[in-house]
């Protein structure tokens, strides 16, 4: 029993380590995107989001390599069999699946989606279906988040995105993914107070700045906007909040459907997310181009191209780590934990853009980070207690039999 508790604790720790990697990479990604948006060198939020998400198709490269190898050796070209073998067979995460019966390895779709047994692995059809559902919410969340960087600072966008903890807690409670207690509610309230303080400080800084010193940007409709005007900041903050809402929904959806990271092959899952994005969303590029909302243009300079490619690699790695961290811990923990991006974004704005950090700004950031620690401690204890109860229940059943 103690071994199982230690194993669960190690899994939780691994999830937190992956979360730390995500925090670093997401802040770096935000600064890179903001860099080419701010100087108007390449303001294409939809195309960048499309390229980043479509790059997930490279997770399927090992699969197609195995298909090609089998074709050369046997003369048979069967992609479906290879996908089934990797998703439902003895691939990633299958060590926890019982070998006593083949039905545990490849259960029917209805059983796998509704069973609470973490040992039952999702069949290929269920994984592909989940990828299709996840693709839309994932794309929308990243699109509005990238778009918000056109209108507001990295620090402000990062801070407002942390409000996803409220959406995550609400949706998770409604879907019975997270339990609601006083500590989690208190942590969310503390986080909210910190967000209000930082937002107020940021708005005060904007309104006190001299507007005539700001760099005007010409948007797709030909209207000049000031990147420091209150209305522009408001639009950016609104988009950041929309991204937080979508984030709360899709993170809860993934945890609700998958429950445990051992039930799914994450490479197959993300590979199909990239495939669906690549195949089905390209017509939107044409619509945006002819309506004038986002004209299609390839990067014109090596600098812009390098930034886009680096950001694409960052997204490729960080989003995979995010999903792993969320399944190893919980949606609320990862959501609140991402508030750690706030002090990093603040330091980045201070160092690279000479944006001042007021006492109110710093105190608000401290409150947001503090909320993570209290929620994480409570959730980890809750998770260990649930594992102990489950093992105790299994022991009782075995003894009775």
């Amino acid at each position: 029993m103690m071994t199982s508790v230690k194993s669960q604790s190690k899994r939780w720790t691994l999830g937190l380590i992956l979360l730390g990697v995500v925090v670093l990479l997401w802040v770096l990604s935000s600064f890179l995107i903001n860099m080419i948006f701010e100087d108007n060198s390449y303001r294409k939020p939809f195309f960048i989001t499309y390229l980043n998400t479509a790059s997930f198709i490279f997770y399927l490269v090992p699969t197609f390599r195995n298909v090609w190898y089998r074709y050369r050796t046997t003369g048979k070209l069967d992609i479906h069999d290879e996908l089934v073998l990797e998703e439902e067979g003895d691939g990633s995460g299958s060590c926890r699946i019982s070998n006593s019966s083949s039905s545990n390895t490849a259960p029917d779709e209805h059983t796998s989606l509704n069973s609470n047994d973490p040992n039952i692995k999702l069949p290929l059809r269920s994984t592909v279906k989940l990828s299709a559902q996840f693709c839309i919410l994932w794309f929308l969340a990243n699109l509005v988040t990238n778009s918000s960087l056109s209108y507001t600072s990295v620090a402000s966008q990062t801070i407002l995105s942390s409000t996803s903890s409220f959406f995550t807690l609400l949706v998770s409670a409604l879907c019975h993914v997270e339990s609601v207690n006083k500590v989690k509610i208190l942590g969310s309230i503390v986080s909210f107070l910190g967000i209000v303080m930082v937002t107020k400080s940021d708005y005060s800084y904007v309104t006190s700045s001299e507007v005539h010193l700001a760099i005007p940007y010409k948007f797709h409709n030909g209207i000049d906007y000031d990147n420091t005007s209150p209305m522009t900041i408001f639009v950016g903050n609104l988009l950041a909040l929309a991204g937080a809402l979508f984030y709360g929904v899709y993170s809860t959806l993934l945890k609700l459907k998958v429950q445990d990271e051992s039930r799914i092959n994450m490479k197959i899952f993300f590979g199909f997310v990239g495939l669906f994005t690549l195949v089905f969303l390209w017509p939107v590029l044409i619509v945006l181009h002819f309506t004038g909302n986002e004209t299609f243009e390839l990067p014109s300079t090596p600098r812009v191209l390098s930034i886009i490619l680096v950001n694409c690699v960052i997204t490729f790695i960080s989003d995979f780590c995010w999903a792993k961290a969320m399944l190893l811990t919980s949606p609320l923990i990862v959501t609140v934990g991402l508030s750690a991006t706030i002090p990093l974004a603040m330091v980045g704005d201070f160092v690279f853009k000479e944006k001042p950090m007021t006492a109110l700004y710093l105190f608000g950031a401290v409150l947001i980070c503090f909320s993570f620690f209290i929620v994480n401690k409570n959730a980890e204890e809750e998770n260990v207690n649930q594992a102990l109860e489950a093992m105790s229940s299994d022991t009782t059943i075995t003894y009775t039999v």
Side-chain angles (χ1 to χ4, degrees):
M1 183 178 291
M2 291 304 298
T3 303
S4 298
V5 172
K6 288 181 180 179
S7 176
Q8 186 65 32
S9 179
K10 288 181 180 179
R11 284 163 52 83
W12 193 277
T13 302
L14 176 60
L16 295 181
I17 293 174
L18 290 175
L19 177 59
V21 174
V22 174
V23 167
L24 292 172
L25 293 179
W26 279 14
V27 172
L28 177 58
S29 174
S30 295
F31 273 103
L32 289 174
I33 294 299
N34 183 253
M35 189 184 302
I36 58 177
F37 283 177
E38 197 171 55
D39 61 6
N40 208 28
S41 57
Y42 198 76
R43 192 187 296 272
K44 313 290 181 183
F46 185 91
F47 177 70
I48 290 176
T49 306
Y50 174 81
L51 188 64
N52 288 344
T53 311
S55 69
F56 291 163
I57 196 174
F58 287 107
Y59 281 117
L60 294 177
V61 168
T63 301
F64 290 114
R65 183 183 58 197
N66 292 338
V67 170
W68 177 248
Y69 176 78
R70 182 184 296 183
Y71 173 73
R72 292 184 61 184
T73 55
T74 66
K76 296 181 179 180
L77 184 64
D78 198 331
I79 299 176
H80 180 268
D81 283 353
E82 181 62 32
L83 289 170
V84 170
L85 180 64
E86 292 192 26
E87 176 61 26
E88 304 169 10
D90 296 327
S92 173
S94 60
C95 57
R96 298 181 59 190
I97 302 173
S98 171
N99 293 322
S100 61
S101 171
S102 62
S103 62
N104 286 341
T105 302
D108 63 88
E109 181 182 3
H110 182 270
T111 301
S112 64
L113 288 177
N114 294 281
S115 174
N116 292 323
D117 187 353
N119 295 327
I120 299 180
K121 199 170 180 67
L122 287 177
L124 176 62
R125 183 179 178 185
S126 297
T127 300
V128 174
K129 182 179 179 181
L130 185 60
S131 295
Q133 296 171 341
F134 189 79
C135 174
I136 302 301
L137 290 172
W138 181 279
F139 191 87
L140 287 174
N142 283 275
L143 175 61
V144 294
T145 299
N146 285 337
S147 298
S148 69
L149 292 170
S150 294
Y151 303 88
T152 190
S153 66
V154 174
S156 297
Q157 181 270 328
T158 303
I159 291 161
L160 289 172
S161 293
S162 69
T163 57
S164 56
S165 60
F166 300 102
F167 299 116
T168 302
L169 182 59
L170 176 61
V171 178
S172 295
L174 292 174
C175 297
H176 305 289
V177 173
E178 293 272 2
S179 62
V180 179
N181 56 42
K182 293 180 180 179
V183 175
K184 291 179 181 179
I185 294 175
L186 176 62
S188 297
I189 292 175
V190 171
S191 178
F192 177 75
L193 291 175
I195 291 167
V196 170
M197 291 180 182
V198 174
T199 304
K200 186 178 186 304
S201 174
D202 187 57
Y203 182 79
S204 299
Y205 167 74
V206 169
T207 54
S208 63
S209 299
E210 291 187 341
V211 177
H212 68 276
L213 293 178
I215 302 174
Y217 296 136
K218 188 174 291 294
F219 283 48
H220 60 265
N221 56 4
I223 300 176
D224 288 331
Y225 286 93
D226 187 338
N227 69 310
T228 60
S229 70
M231 180 54 68
T232 302
I233 295 295
F234 175 76
V235 172
N237 291 346
L238 193 63
L239 289 171
L241 286 172
L245 172 61
F246 288 125
Y247 173 90
V249 174
Y250 75 63
S251 60
T252 304
L253 171 66
L254 185 59
K255 185 68 174 183
L256 178 65
K257 297 292 187 181
V258 179
Q259 300 177 29
D260 189 273
E261 49 87 26
S262 65
R263 297 189 66 205
I264 191 172
N265 187 318
M266 295 303 299
K267 293 180 180 179
I268 298 295
F269 170 75
F270 273 109
F272 273 97
V273 170
L275 180 62
F276 289 138
T277 299
L278 183 68
V279 173
F280 296 113
L281 294 183
W282 65 266
V284 181
L285 289 168
I286 299 176
V287 174
L288 292 175
H289 177 78
F290 285 103
T291 57
N293 288 282
E294 182 179 307
T295 55
F296 179 77
E297 296 175 349
L298 294 175
S300 57
T301 65
R303 169 182 171 272
V304 173
L305 180 62
S306 299
I307 289 175
I308 291 175
L309 292 178
V310 170
N311 183 71
C312 193
V313 172
I314 290 174
T315 303
F316 184 82
I317 298 172
S318 64
D319 288 359
F320 183 89
C321 292
W322 167 86
K324 278 282 190 180
M326 194 271 297
L327 292 175
L328 286 168
T329 56
S330 75
L332 182 62
I333 287 301
V334 172
T335 304
V336 177
L338 289 174
S339 61
T341 57
I342 293 172
L344 286 178
M346 288 169 54
V347 171
D349 275 341
F350 176 76
V351 173
F352 298 110
K353 300 182 181 180
E354 299 182 352
K355 182 178 179 179
M357 291 186 289
T358 64
L360 185 64
Y361 204 103
L362 289 172
F363 186 62
V366 169
L367 287 181
I368 294 171
C369 293
F370 175 71
S371 68
F372 166 71
F373 290 107
I374 61 177
V375 172
N376 176 69
K377 182 175 177 58
N378 175 262
E380 185 174 11
E381 292 175 353
E382 187 180 77
N383 188 65
V384 171
N385 290 335
Q386 288 176 352
L388 288 172
E389 290 177 2
M391 286 184 292
S392 177
S393 176
D394 291 342
T395 302
T396 303
I397 293 173
T398 302
Y399 177 77
T400 302
V401 173

